[in-house]
Amino acid sequence: MTYAVKSTLPDADLKTVGEALQGELVDLVDLSLVAKQIHWNVIGPRFRSIHLQLDDVVATARSYSDTVAERASALGLPPDGRSSTVAATSAIERVAEGWQKDTDAVRTMVKALEATIGGARERMRSVGEPDPVTEDIFIQLTADLEKHHWMFQAENGS
Amino acid sequence: MTYAVKSTLPDADLKTVGEALQGELVDLVDLSLVAKQIHWNVIGPRFRSIHLQLDDVVATARSYSDTVAERASALGLPPDGRSSTVAATSAIERVAEGWQKDTDAVRTMVKALEATIGGARERMRSVGEPDPVTEDIFIQLTADLEKHHWMFQAENGS
Amino acid sequence: MTYAVKSTLPDADLKTVGEALQGELVDLVDLSLVAKQIHWNVIGPRFRSIHLQLDDVVATARSYSDTVAERASALGLPPDGRSSTVAATSAIERVAEGWQKDTDAVRTMVKALEATIGGARERMRSVGEPDPVTEDIFIQLTADLEKHHWMFQAENGS
Amino acid sequence: MTYAVKSTLPDADLKTVGEALQGELVDLVDLSLVAKQIHWNVIGPRFRSIHLQLDDVVATARSYSDTVAERASALGLPPDGRSSTVAATSAIERVAEGWQKDTDAVRTMVKALEATIGGARERMRSVGEPDPVTEDIFIQLTADLEKHHWMFQAENGS
Amino acid sequence: MTYAVKSTLPDADLKTVGEALQGELVDLVDLSLVAKQIHWNVIGPRFRSIHLQLDDVVATARSYSDTVAERASALGLPPDGRSSTVAATSAIERVAEGWQKDTDAVRTMVKALEATIGGARERMRSVGEPDPVTEDIFIQLTADLEKHHWMFQAENGS
Amino acid sequence: MTYAVKSTLPDADLKTVGEALQGELVDLVDLSLVAKQIHWNVIGPRFRSIHLQLDDVVATARSYSDTVAERASALGLPPDGRSSTVAATSAIERVAEGWQKDTDAVRTMVKALEATIGGARERMRSVGEPDPVTEDIFIQLTADLEKHHWMFQAENGS
Amino acid sequence: MTYAVKSTLPDADLKTVGEALQGELVDLVDLSLVAKQIHWNVIGPRFRSIHLQLDDVVATARSYSDTVAERASALGLPPDGRSSTVAATSAIERVAEGWQKDTDAVRTMVKALEATIGGARERMRSVGEPDPVTEDIFIQLTADLEKHHWMFQAENGS
Amino acid sequence: MTYAVKSTLPDADLKTVGEALQGELVDLVDLSLVAKQIHWNVIGPRFRSIHLQLDDVVATARSYSDTVAERASALGLPPDGRSSTVAATSAIERVAEGWQKDTDAVRTMVKALEATIGGARERMRSVGEPDPVTEDIFIQLTADLEKHHWMFQAENGS
Amino acid sequence: MTYAVKSTLPDADLKTVGEALQGELVDLVDLSLVAKQIHWNVIGPRFRSIHLQLDDVVATARSYSDTVAERASALGLPPDGRSSTVAATSAIERVAEGWQKDTDAVRTMVKALEATIGGARERMRSVGEPDPVTEDIFIQLTADLEKHHWMFQAENGS
Amino acid sequence: MTYAVKSTLPDADLKTVGEALQGELVDLVDLSLVAKQIHWNVIGPRFRSIHLQLDDVVATARSYSDTVAERASALGLPPDGRSSTVAATSAIERVAEGWQKDTDAVRTMVKALEATIGGARERMRSVGEPDPVTEDIFIQLTADLEKHHWMFQAENGS
Amino acid sequence: MTYAVKSTLPDADLKTVGEALQGELVDLVDLSLVAKQIHWNVIGPRFRSIHLQLDDVVATARSYSDTVAERASALGLPPDGRSSTVAATSAIERVAEGWQKDTDAVRTMVKALEATIGGARERMRSVGEPDPVTEDIFIQLTADLEKHHWMFQAENGS
Amino acid sequence: MTYAVKSTLPDADLKTVGEALQGELVDLVDLSLVAKQIHWNVIGPRFRSIHLQLDDVVATARSYSDTVAERASALGLPPDGRSSTVAATSAIERVAEGWQKDTDAVRTMVKALEATIGGARERMRSVGEPDPVTEDIFIQLTADLEKHHWMFQAENGS
C-alpha cells in the first residue's frame, strides 16, 4: 500500500482502525442494497408503511457509508466499496429473491440490522484507544442503527 | 414466479420488458457503486472538481435505479438488486483498487459510462414495441448518461 | 364547432386526438373524486396509511387532468369537464356510499385504477401516429397510474 | 345511517348540521369544477387575467370542500362528494359549453358565486345554535367567497 | 392575586374566563404528555402509523397550550402549568405504564381526547358571553381535537 | 356614494358595519405609523429589544388594515385610508416628537394599544348582529392587539 | 434639539442632510398610503392587474421610508413620520375619495410619483457634497421610483 | 469537423441530427431576444399583462436553448450560438424597432412563434429514426411552444 | 417488566442504563414545563429578552427528552413520562406561582439548570462503561444545558 | 423620436445618457452569448471548473442587460437589443468556432471582459454629471465585471 | 510587486486606491475579531440582547472584508489580511481582556466603530476621483457601520 | 481571574480544560485568517477550485472557534480571541505575502492544517479525563480538520 495521503496516526493504530473502517463500509453498503431490495419487493397490508420506513434505513446507510469511507481516506487508507468486494465480504446473509410478505420483510430487516449492529459494536470497542475520532463515528452510527432495529422489532411485537 | 401483482401487459411482452428492466437495474446499481469508489479514491490536481462531478453521477444512477426497479414492480415483476446479483451480472468491468490518479479516474468513468450506455441503447430499442412507457424511461436515462459521458470525455479532451 | 383557437393539426388527426383527450379528461376528473370519496370514508386499522396514500392519487389525477385539458385547448378543442359530463361518461364504475372498510377501499381503488389505465393505454396507441406530443402526455400519465396500481395491489398482496 | 364514528352532538342537532355540511360540500365541489371549466374555455383581451383569477377560486373551493367534508366525518356523518351527487344537487346552474368571451365569463362567475354565497349564508344561520364550531367554518368560507364576489364585480364595474 | 398586567375585561367576566383558561391549560399540557408517553410505548403491527399520528396530537396540544396560557396573560391572569398542578387537576385519567399494544393505545387516546373535548365544549359555552375572543380560541381548538378524535376512532372502526 | 360594487347586506346593516370598518381602518393605519415612529426614535438600555418588538406591532397593524379595508370593499363601501383622514379621525393621541427614553416608549405604546383595543371591542359588539363575518375579523384582531398590550405592560411591570 | 446620538458629520452639513431626509421620509410614507388607498378603491377592466401593481409600489415606499428614517437616526437626527406631520407636509396632493376608474387610478399614480421623484432628485443634488452616503440612498430610491413611473406611464401610453 | 468528443451515433445519422440541433438552437436564441425586445418596448392598456407573458416565453426559450446546445455537445457536435450566426440564419423575421402597441406586440409574437414551431415540427420528424433521445427533446419543446402560441392567439381572439 | 423489545445489552448493564435514562427523562420533561411556566409569567424591563430565551430552553428540553425516551425504548425499556411521575420524582424544586420579576426569573432558571446538570453529569459517568452510545447522548445534552446555564448566569452577572 | 414615456431629464442630458445605455446594452447581451458559446465548447482538464465559472458570467451579463434596458425605458428611450444590432455594434471581437482548449477559453474570456470593461468605464465617466442614477448602475456593473476579469486572469496566472 | 493580475487603472491611481483598500481590510478584520471577543465576554442584564447584536456587526465586518479584499485582487493588488498584519496596523485600540459589564461593552463598541468609520470616511474621499467603483464600496460600508454606531449609542442613550 | 460565571468543574480540572480551550481558540481563529488570505491571493490553473475549497475551511474554522470560545464561557473562563493574542500565540507559521501559485497554496494549507491537527489531538487526550463534554468538541473538530487535510493532500497527490 502506497501512502499518497499521509496519516496523522502511527502505523500500528492505523492497521486496527483501517480494518474496522473497511469492514464497516462493506456492511453499510450492503445494508443499503438489502433495504432497497425489500423496498421494491414487499407486499401485504402494511405495504406503504414499510415501503417508506425502508427508505429511512437506506438514507442512514448511504450517509454513514460515505462518512466511513471518507474517514478512511482522511487517515490515508484507500477504501474499497466495489460490488465484488461487498458481495464477497458482507456480514449480512443473502436475502431471498422475489416478493416478500410484509411480516417476512420485517423479520429480514431485524436480522440484517442485528448483523450490522453486531459488527459495529465490536469495531467501536477496538478503535476507542487508537482513534477516538473514529470511535465517535461508530457510536453515532450504532445509535441510529439501533433505533431502526427497535422500530422494526416493534412492528412485529406482541 | 408467482404473480402477486397483476400485470397490465401480455406475457410475451412482459418477458422482453422484464429482462430489459432487470439488466438495466444491475448496471445502474453498479454504476453508483463504481462512481462512489472513485469519489473516495481519486487523487491529483483535479481532485476536488472530479470528486464533486462523481456525486452527480451517483445521484443520476441512484434515482434511475429506483425508477427502473419500481417500473418492474408496477408490471408485476419482482426486481433483484442484491449485491451478489450485481457483482455477478453487471456489464461494467471491475475497477482497480486503491488510489487513482485523476487522469485514470476520468478514463475509468468514460469506460463505465460507455458500458452502461451501450446496454441502455439496446434495451431502449427492444422495449419500444411491447411497452412505450418503459421505452420512455430508457430514453430519459440514456439522455442523462450521455451527458455525463460527454462531460468526462471533455475533461480529458485536447 | 367554431375554431376560436387555430389548430396546428389537420382535421382528421384532430378528431382522433380530441376524442382521446376528452375521454381521458373525464376519467381523470372522476378518479380524483373517487379517491377523495374514499379518503373521507375509509375506516379500519389501516385508516391513516390509506387516507394519506389516497391523497397521492388525488394529486396525480388533478395534475394530469389539467395537463390533458390544456392540451385540448392548445389544439383548438374546448375541453368539457363539467360534473354532468363526468357523471354520464366516466369509465369508472360508481362506488358505494358510506363508510368503507380498509380492505374494501383498497379493492375499490385497484378497480378504479384498472379502468383508468385500460383507457389510457388504448388512447396512447391511437394518438401515436397523428400527434406524438399528445402521445408523450399519455405515456407519462400511464407510468404514474401504473405505479399507484402496483402500490394498491401490494397492499392486499399475499 | 349507521354510527361508525360516535358523535359529540345530540341527534336532533346532528340532523340540522349534517344537512348543512352535505349541501355546502356539493356546492363547493361544483364551484371548483365550474371555475376550472371557464379557466380552460375563456377567450378575449382579458384572457390571462381571468385565467389566473379563476385558479384562485379553484384553490378556495378545493380547500374548503376538504374542510367541510372532514368536519362532517368528525361529527360522525359520512360525506358524499361523488360526481353523480354533485351533478344532481348542486345549487349552481349548468354553465354553457365551448368558448366563453371574457365578459360573459365574469358574469357567469358572479352568478355562480351568488348562488354559493346564498346557500352558505342560510346554512351559517341554521347551524349557529346547535354547533358553533361548524358555524365558524361557514363564517370563514363566506368571507372568502364574498371577497371573490367583489373582485369579479369590480372587473365589470363602471 | 396582584394585577401586574391590567385587564381589558370587568372583574366578574374575568373570573369566569380565567377559570376556563386555567382548566383548559392543564388539560392540554397533560394531553401532550399522555400522547408522548404512548408515542414512546406503543407496540404492534400498526406501530409506525400510530407513532407518527401521536406526534400530530402533541403538536396540536403544545400549540394550543401556548395560545391559551398567553391569552390568560393578555387578560392579566398569571397561568399555572407546573407539573404538580397538572398532575393534581387534569381531567385526563392516569394512563397505564409500560408497553401498550396498538389496539389499547388507540383506545387510550380516544378516552383522553373525549375527556379533553368534554371540558373544552363546556368552557366554550361559558365564555361566549363575557369574552368572544376567548370563545373563538376554544372553538378552534375543539375543531382540531374533534378531528383527532375521529381519526383515532376510525383506526379501530369495523 | 355610488354603489359600483353591489352589497350582499341590507342598507341599515351596511351603515353600522361600514362605520365600524372605516373607524377601525383609521386606527390601525395610525397604529402602524406610531409604532414605526417609536421604532426609529427609542433610546436607552432596552433599545434593541423594543426596536424589534415594535416591528411585530407594525406587521400586525399593516396586515389587519388590509383585511379591514378589503372587507369594506367586499361589502360595497370604498374605504378611506388617506393621511389627512388618518390624522383627523384617529383615536390614538398624537405622540411626542424626538428621541424617546425606552421607559416612555413602552408607556406610549401601552396607551396607543389601549385606545385601539377600546374601539375594536366596541365595534366587535356592534357588528355581531348585522354581519358575523365582519365580527370574526374584529375578534381575531382584538386577540392579537391584546397580546401586544400584555407584552408592553409586562415590560414595565414590577 | 438634544444630541442623544452623536453625529459623524459637522453641524452645517447636518442641517442640509437632515432637511433632505425629513422631507423624503414624509413623501415616502404618504406614497405608501396613497398607493394602498387606490389598491382598495380601484375598479374597471384592469382591476386585478393594477391592484397587484400598486402593492409593488407600497413595498418600495415602505422599504425606503425605513432606510431613510434610520439614516436620519444614524446621523443623530430624530425622524418624524407621525400621521399629523405627513398630512401637513407631504408633497403629494390629496387624492379623491371613493371608487376610482382604472384609467384615473393610473393618472393619479403618475402624478403622485412625479411629485415624489421631483423632490428626491432635488435632494439627491443637495446632499451630494455634504454626505455621499445619503446621496447613494437617494440615487437608489430614485432609480426604483422612476421605474414605477415608467410602468404607470406605459399603462396609459398610446 | 474534428471529433473531440466521440459520438455514440454513426456518421450519417449524426449529420441529420446535427443540422436539426443547430437550426433549433439559432431559432430559440433569437426567440429569446425578440421576446425581450418587446418586453422592453410594449405600451398600451395591456402593458403589464403582456410584459409578464413575454418573460414566460423568454424562460422557455432560454431553458430549451441550453438543453439543445448541450445535446449537440453530448453527441460530439460543437454548437454555434454566436450573435453573428443567429442574425444570419434565424427563421424569425426581424421585428420593428421602437415602442409597440400591445395589439401589435401580440401579432408579432404569434408570427414569431409560428416560424419557430414550423421548424421544430419538421426537425422532430427528421430525427425520430436516427436518434429518439433528440426526438424526445423536440417533442417537449414543441408542446411548450404550441401552448405559448395558443395563449397569444387567445389574447386577440373574439 | 416484560421484554417486548429485545435488548442488545446484558441485564446488569441494562439496569444501570435504564435508571439513568428514566431519571433524565423526568428532569428534562419538568425543565420544559418550568421554562414554559416562566415564559408566561415573567414581567419587568427584560421581559421580551427572557421570554424568548426561555423558548430556547424549552426547545432543548423537548428535543432531548424525546431522544432519551426513544433510547430507552431502543434498549427494550419502556420509558415513563406521565405527569404524575414527573411531579413525584423530578429533581427540580417546585417554582413559585404567579407573575415573576425578571431578576427572580433568571435566578429560578439558574437553579433549575443547576439541578438538571448535576444529575446529568452523574449519569454520564455511570453509563460510560456499560453503554457508550447512551454516554454520548448525555455528553451532548450536558453541553447544551451548560451553555444555557452560562447564559442565564451572564444575565445577572456583575 | 416620439416621447411615449415622458423623461425626468432635460433633452441634452438625455442624449448623452441614452447613447451610453444603448452601447452598454449591446456589449452585455454579446458578453452573455460569448460566455454561453464557450460554456458549450470548452474541453480539457479544467472543463468542469470553467464550464461552471462561465455560467456565473452569463448570470451577471443577463441581469445587468435587463437593468440597463429598463433604465433606458424609464428615461423614455426605447432600448434596442435585437440580434442584428448586437452583431453589428458589439465591442467584443467575434470568437473562434468549434471546440476550445481550456487555456484558450480563459484567454478568450479575459479579452472579452477587457473590451466590455473598457466601454463601461468610459460610459461611467460620461453619465456622472447628467444622471447620477445611471452612473450608479455603471459603477455596480463595472465592479462585477472587474471581479470576473480578475478571476479569469488568476486562472492563467503564474 | 509582480503584476500577476493586470489592473484596469493607471499606476498613480492604483497606489492611492491600493493603500485605501489595504487599510480598510485590516480595520474590518479587526472589527470582526473585536466584536466576537465581546460577544463571548459580555455579562449583565442586557447580555442576550447585546450578544445577538454583536453577531450582526460580525456579519457586516466579515462580508465587507471579503468585498474589499477581492476588490484589491480585481485591481491587481494582492491583499494582506494575516493576523500579524492586523495586530500591527489596525486603527482600533486593543480592548480589555476578561468579562465585560454590558455598559462597558456598549462603550467599547461605540469607540471601535468610531475608529473604523473615521478611517472609512477619509478613504471614501481619497478614492472618489481615481476610482468611483471603489468609492461606491466605501459608501455602502460606511452606511452600514454608521447604522451599527447609532444602535450602540442608542443603547446607552438617555 | 474573577469568577463572574460559576463553573460546574473543580478548579484543577478547570485549569487543564481552560488552557486547552484557549490554545485551540487561537489556532482556529488564525486558521480562518490564513485560509482567507490564500483565498484572495491564489493564482494558477486550479484557481477557482481552490478558491472555493478554502471557503469550506473558513466556514469550519469560524464555526468551531465560536463553539470552543462559548464552551470556555460556559465553564466560567473568559476566552481571548483578540488579534494581538492570535498573532503572538498561534501555532501556525506566518504565511508568505502576495500572490501564491496554486501548487504552493495547497502546500501551505497542508502545513497549516497539520499544525492545527497536531495541537488538537494533544488537547483531545488531555481533556478526556477532566471533562468529556469538551473532549467531544475536540473529537468533532479533529474529524473535520483531518477531512480537509486529506482533501488538500489529495490535490497534490501522484
Side-chain angles (χ1 to χ4, degrees), chain B residues 40 43-45 47-48 51 101, chain L residues 46 49 53 56 154-155 157:
Chain B
W40 299 322
I43 56 175
F47 162 73
R48 189 169 184 271
H51 182 73
K101 284 279 306 166
Chain L
R46 285 183 282 160
S49 212
Q53 188 171 355
D56 295 345
E155 281 280 340

Side-chain angles (χ1 to χ4, degrees), chain F residues 1 4 15 26 32 34 53 86 105 108 113 116 138:
Chain F
M1 185 187 303
K15 186 168 182 314
V26 162
S32 78
V34 163
Q53 188 171 355
V86 172
T108 304
L113 284 160
T116 316
F138 280 114

Side-chain angles (χ1 to χ4, degrees), chain H residues 36-37 41 66 73 78 81-82, chain J residues 36-37 40-41 66 78 81 95:
Chain H
K36 265 291 176 202
Q37 172 73 4
N41 284 286
D66 213 39
S73 291
R82 295 171 297 170
Chain J
K36 265 294 178 199
Q37 171 73 5
W40 298 322
N41 284 285
D66 212 53
V95 302

Side-chain angles (χ1 to χ4, degrees), chain B residues 44-52, chain J residues 49, chain L residues 35-36 38-39 42 46-61 102 105-106 109-110 113 145-156:
Chain B
R46 285 183 281 160
F47 162 73
R48 189 169 184 271
S49 211
I50 290 167
H51 182 73
L52 294 174
Chain J
S49 212
Chain L
K36 266 293 178 198
I38 303 180
H39 172 79
V42 63
R46 285 183 282 160
F47 162 74
R48 188 168 183 272
S49 212
I50 289 167
H51 182 72
L52 293 174
Q53 188 171 355
L54 283 159
D55 258 359
D56 295 345
V57 177
V58 172
T60 296
D102 48 18
V106 168
M109 282 312 296
V110 170
L113 284 160
L145 293 173
E146 289 185 352
K147 191 166 163 183
H148 289 299
H149 185 229
W150 150 51
M151 287 185 163
F152 278 100
Q153 285 185 89
E155 281 280 340
N156 279 354

